[in-house]
Amino acid sequence: MRTPISLRLLTAMPRSGWIALALFALVAWVLVPVAHLALPEGHPLHVSDYFVTLTGKVLCYAVVAVAMDLIWGYAGILSLGHGLFFALGGYAFGMYLMRQIGRDGSYHADLPDFMVFLDWKELPWYWVGSDSFLWALVLVLVVPAAIAWVFGYFAFRSRIKGVYFSIITQALTYAAMLLFFRNETGFGGNNGFTDFKRILGYSITAPETRLVLFGLSALLLMCTLLLGRYLVTSKFGRVLAAIRDAESRVMFIGYNPLHYKLFIWTLSAVLCALAGALYVPQVGIINPGEMSPANSIEIAIWAAVGGRGTLIGPVLGAFTVSLAKSWFTVSFPEYWLFFLGLLFILVTLYLPEGLVGLWRRIRSTRDTTPAAPKAVAKAAHAPASTSTHSTPPDAAAAEGASA
């Protein structure tokens, strides 16, 4: 009998994983809102607007890191263009946010301010329906998925992989960045979208709105981890790992890697787009800089620092690198890129399994260290306690033979 998918989802995660998710949900949905809204400023446990916004932004980064790990850590496909899908999701939802400004913009016109500034007379055809929240969600899901599917289909069918695939994805996001920098494309050019006012009629800067966006980011991360766990522990995940390790053998036994790679590639792009859609209203801006190759490389570094091939590793990597970036770019802005490069080199040379590998190494050392003295003490006491009562093996054998 076929096992229901709900039961398979429940059994995909171990008990410790469910406990960790429950604690995370408790912190994100109960403790942080209470500390932000109920406790006054100046209270030692008060959570500030800055903390809520910063953490919500990093939660979106963590979703992108897990999406990168699904395609890189489990399928062995290194993409250096995931920033494109993240930015496309942000732009698709940014169109809706720009339409919600209405006549509250600088020019008090129905068109977005940048279109008035560029002397546009009407909305382009691809902006039609962008004032609808549901249509914006459709754009967030469909546009990145369609681009990823078309690109992946031709790339995987041509068996492009390794460094060639990485270079092509980097060229793809760079070309998109140059396209979005142009004013005539209708996406704000160099400035992109900003000055958002409302979302679903609520002020986007209200504390309650920020908390809802923060909670949705946490929910998206938990759903991404659950979906990822389900996929990598299923038959699909085992085939995916086999493709990563020996694609030719997988083809020899009758599997077509194209469908597996195409599905995980498109799913990874959609997850990045959803994260981008939640990222934009929290930071208040989206511009072509999000599509820069440097941003996509940084996404790969999150997964490498945390630990590829583990779902929790990219989350740790995204938090570690992003928080370090927030501190470095304020205290030592000119040294951030040097630190990032040094971090990547050190992780590659000394921590190939990332922070998760370091934790496993520490645990194994801690588990074996106490056992060693016990073994030594037992060995030291063993001759004294057994020499007078036990019989040597040879003597026992001789006794048995004579009997």
Side-chain angles (χ1 to χ4, degrees):
M1 187 176 66
R2 192 176 181 85
T3 307
I5 190 170
S6 56
L7 185 60
R8 283 185 284 166
L9 273 174
L10 287 173
T11 55
M13 183 78 75
R15 185 179 178 184
S16 58
W18 284 112
I19 293 175
L21 277 184
L23 292 176
F24 177 73
L26 176 66
V27 172
W29 294 342
V30 178
L31 297 183
V32 170
V34 168
H36 181 58
L37 297 178
L39 299 179
E41 292 185 14
H43 192 281
L45 297 180
H46 173 73
V47 174
S48 64
D49 291 341
Y50 174 77
F51 178 85
V52 172
T53 304
L54 176 64
T55 311
K57 184 179 72 171
V58 179
L59 287 173
C60 294
Y61 288 161
V63 173
V64 178
V66 176
M68 165 64 82
D69 191 49
L70 288 176
I71 190 68
W72 186 24
Y74 290 96
I77 303 168
L78 174 57
S79 166
L80 295 181
H82 260 41
L84 169 64
F85 307 119
F86 180 77
L88 286 177
Y91 266 101
F93 198 69
M95 292 167 68
Y96 164 78
L97 295 175
M98 290 297 287
R99 296 295 303 279
Q100 294 302 301
I101 296 175
R103 289 181 170 270
D104 292 340
S106 301
Y107 296 100
H108 305 290
D110 292 329
L111 295 177
D113 282 349
F114 73 89
M115 290 187 182
V116 178
F117 178 76
L118 296 173
D119 200 24
W120 289 55
K121 302 302 181 186
E122 59 182 10
L123 286 171
W125 62 268
Y126 43 85
W127 277 73
V128 175
S130 57
D131 56 340
S132 168
F133 182 79
L134 293 178
W135 180 245
L137 291 182
V138 171
L139 291 180
V140 167
L141 295 173
V142 172
V143 174
I147 293 176
W149 192 92
V150 172
F151 175 82
Y153 177 78
F154 288 104
F156 298 140
R157 195 183 67 163
S158 304
R159 303 200 63 188
I160 298 174
K161 53 187 177 181
V163 66
Y164 303 104
F165 186 86
S166 303
I167 292 173
I168 289 177
T169 52
Q170 195 169 47
L172 176 69
T173 190
Y174 186 70
M177 183 186 70
L178 295 180
L179 178 66
F180 274 69
F181 263 125
R182 301 174 69 90
N183 288 327
E184 60 268 29
T185 56
F187 292 107
N190 183 43
N191 295 321
F193 300 156
T194 187
D195 195 27
F196 306 132
K197 305 289 186 187
R198 287 174 289 274
I199 178 171
L200 289 173
Y202 297 96
S203 172
I204 206 166
T205 57
E208 293 81 4
T209 309
R210 292 182 183 276
L211 280 176
V212 169
L213 293 171
F214 169 82
L216 289 175
S217 302
L219 176 64
L220 178 61
L221 177 59
M222 287 190 288
C223 292
T224 302
L225 289 173
L226 274 175
L227 178 62
R229 177 73 182 180
Y230 171 74
L231 288 176
V232 301
T233 55
S234 65
K235 177 185 175 183
F236 174 85
R238 292 192 290 273
V239 174
L240 206 61
I243 292 173
R244 175 194 61 193
D245 298 334
E247 184 173 347
S248 299
R249 292 187 182 183
V250 173
M251 294 174 65
F252 181 75
I253 59 178
Y255 287 95
N256 187 354
L258 172 65
H259 304 309
Y260 292 87
K261 293 162 76 172
L262 197 54
F263 174 79
I264 199 68
W265 166 257
T266 307
L267 175 65
S268 179
V270 170
L271 291 175
C272 287
L274 287 172
L278 279 172
Y279 169 86
V280 169
Q282 296 187 79
V283 300
I285 187 172
I286 179 71
N287 59 36
E290 295 294 340
M291 300 180 188
S292 67
N295 281 13
S296 294
I297 293 173
E298 192 172 326
I299 293 172
I301 291 177
W302 295 340
V305 169
R308 287 189 295 131
T310 62
L311 293 174
I312 193 63
V315 177
L316 298 176
F319 270 84
T320 303
V321 177
S322 298
L323 295 179
K325 181 179 181 180
S326 297
W327 182 75
F328 259 90
T329 50
V330 172
S331 303
F332 309 98
E334 64 274 21
Y335 297 117
W336 162 243
L337 289 180
F338 294 101
F339 172 77
L340 188 65
L342 178 64
L343 180 65
F344 186 66
I345 292 172
L346 291 177
V347 168
T348 304
L349 290 178
Y350 301 105
L351 291 174
E353 297 178 354
L355 295 176
V356 172
L358 177 63
W359 169 247
R360 287 173 178 168
R361 197 180 305 173
I362 293 174
R363 278 190 61 185
S364 62
T365 305
R366 192 173 57 185
D367 292 342
T368 55
T369 301
K374 290 181 181 177
V376 171
K378 186 177 180 180
H381 290 287
S385 59
T386 58
S387 58
T388 55
H389 302 288
S390 63
T391 305
D394 294 340
E399 290 174 3
S402 59

